[in-house]
Amino acid sequence: PQAEGARAEGRPPLPIAPIGLERRTAASGSRDRDEATIISGTQLAKQVYKEVQRDVESWMSLGNKRPHLTVILVGDNPASHTYVRNKMKAAAAVGICSEIILKPKDISQEELLDLTAKLNHDSRVNGILVQLPLPDHIDERTVCNIVAPEKDVDGFHIINIGRLCLDQPSVIPATAAAVWEIIKRTGIQTFGKNVVVAGRSKNVGMPISMLLHSDGEHERPGGDATVTITHRYTPKEQLKIHTQLADIIIVAAGIPKLITADMVKEGAVVIDVGINHIHDPLTGKTKLVGDVDFEEVKKKAGFITPVPGGVGPMTVAMLLKNTLVTAKKLVY
């Protein structure tokens, strides 16, 4: 009955015994109405951590060395330092060795490329991550392409991106993998659905679009959805036309409150990948917000991810999963 009711409302049914889902109600006139099911990326990430920890222990029980992740952190960007600390903490929790190589913001591109090349040839290192963004004088694409594809836990090397676009097994960029994993573990259906991806970055929006639109029967199965890609220069009126038709909206444009309630179809899935740091006048501190007007959209959506606590924790979890993949050399 639950599934039939969900289909009648145009929203995907809840999976059996869902993990990381929280149903809420809100007063609406004289009766209660359902709000969106809030997808907890934190809870889903804990599930992935347990799986990775188990696989690391199994890998080592066969006589293999412990996976080792090296992160290169350039400059003093506070957000980058926070992200890297979270990654190191999570790696330790699942039994993956990790280290941070700190470099000043005025490091030359040549020195950074030389450092990365040395790590490529370091047999102790299974995974390499160069934390982005980099200072303006360094070309990020050049740096991403110097990382050995088989150690590229970010999945940003041109070979990994190319394999992804050809539906072949590859190291999938962690944020895109996080969105895909959230969809699958939540039981959200993508086959034949209309999806809008707001954001066209080569690290997030593009790989998410590739995963969702590609053939579910290919070597690297996709979502068989019809995907529309928009971006920050799509006129708001046109964006609204696309999102109102969408069964699933994935927002990674870097614009706070880009998606408002009037842009969302009743019962749609809304996944917020936004990581905007804004000043909170009430506290005088910086806070993290997404690209979605969460409080209003959750009254209309069927499923929604919060910021923080949504895609972010799952991105870290998928990075650790990628590190295990590169350690096992399952891809190459």
Side-chain angles (χ1 to χ4, degrees):
Q2 178 200 52
E4 292 175 1
R7 282 193 293 270
E9 294 176 6
R11 67 177 63 182
L14 284 170
I16 302 301
I19 296 174
L21 302 180
E22 179 185 353
R23 195 70 176 170
R24 296 184 179 181
T25 60
S28 178
S30 60
R31 65 182 181 85
D32 285 345
R33 65 176 295 277
D34 285 339
E35 284 191 348
T37 296
I38 297 175
I39 304 172
S40 172
T42 302
Q43 293 301 316
L44 291 174
K46 289 178 180 178
Q47 185 184 57
V48 177
Y49 289 154
K50 289 179 181 178
E51 294 168 3
V52 172
Q53 182 179 28
R54 180 196 63 213
D55 290 347
V56 167
E57 292 171 353
S58 175
W59 173 246
M60 293 182 62
S61 71
L62 298 175
N64 298 296
K65 67 178 182 178
R66 189 178 297 278
H68 183 106
L69 171 66
T70 296
V71 178
I72 302 174
L73 178 56
V74 178
D76 50 11
N77 183 311
S80 292
H81 279 256
T82 298
Y83 296 149
V84 169
R85 284 197 301 271
N86 290 341
K87 292 168 184 176
M88 299 298 99
K89 182 179 178 180
V94 300
I96 292 176
C97 289
S98 62
E99 65 175 336
I100 305 173
I101 299 178
L102 292 171
K103 290 295 178 180
K105 63 182 179 181
D106 60 353
I107 185 176
S108 69
Q109 178 165 305
E110 291 71 24
E111 185 180 350
L112 182 56
L113 294 176
D114 288 344
L115 170 60
T116 307
K118 289 178 182 177
L119 293 173
N120 286 341
H121 295 96
D122 188 337
S123 60
R124 348 171 265 112
V125 178
N126 305 117
I128 301 170
L129 185 154
V130 181
Q131 181 66 40
L132 303 180
L134 292 170
D136 292 340
H137 67 280
I138 297 177
D139 182 67
E140 290 186 353
R141 174 48 50 197
T142 300
V143 174
C144 289
N145 283 342
I146 199 68
V147 177
E150 65 274 14
K151 294 188 177 185
D152 172 31
V153 295
D154 255 340
F156 292 163
H157 192 282
I158 192 169
I159 288 178
N160 282 322
I161 291 293
R163 292 176 66 91
L164 172 67
C165 292
L166 293 173
D167 303 327
Q168 295 178 6
S170 65
V171 181
I172 298 173
T175 302
V179 171
W180 185 223
E181 200 71 16
I182 285 171
I183 287 172
K184 291 190 292 184
R185 289 179 185 251
T186 308
I188 294 166
Q189 300 301 308
T190 60
F191 186 90
K193 300 296 184 181
N194 288 325
V195 178
V196 167
V197 177
R200 59 182 174 182
S201 76
K202 300 300 180 284
N203 299 340
V204 181
M206 187 277 287
I208 288 173
S209 302
M210 296 303 301
L211 289 168
L212 287 169
H213 94 271
S214 54
D215 194 328
E217 296 184 359
H218 278 178
E219 188 177 357
R220 193 267 304 137
D224 283 308
T226 300
V227 179
T228 300
I229 303 174
T230 67
H231 48 80
R232 63 173 56 239
Y233 298 122
T234 301
K236 193 68 176 281
E237 309 77 44
Q238 293 296 321
L239 176 61
K240 184 175 179 179
I241 290 172
H242 292 303
T243 58
Q244 286 179 334
L245 295 173
D247 304 298
I248 302 171
I249 303 171
I250 299 167
V251 201
I255 304 174
K257 295 189 177 182
L258 174 65
I259 302 299
T260 52
D262 62 313
M263 302 171 69
V264 178
K265 181 171 70 173
E266 186 76 31
V269 177
V270 180
I271 298 179
D272 192 347
V273 192
I275 48 170
N276 307 294
H277 296 270
I278 65 171
H279 177 73
D280 186 347
L282 297 177
T283 64
K285 299 179 179 179
T286 298
K287 67 176 182 178
L288 181 66
V289 300
D291 291 354
V292 175
D293 186 349
F294 180 80
E295 293 301 324
E296 293 302 316
V297 171
K298 74 178 182 180
K299 299 174 184 177
K300 197 172 182 181
F303 292 83
I304 191 169
T305 60
V307 176
V311 175
M314 277 295 284
T315 297
V316 177
M318 298 311 295
L319 173 71
L320 299 181
K321 196 167 185 178
N322 282 353
T323 302
L324 183 59
V325 167
T326 57
K328 291 182 174 182
K329 293 182 172 56
L330 293 178
V331 178
Y332 297 97

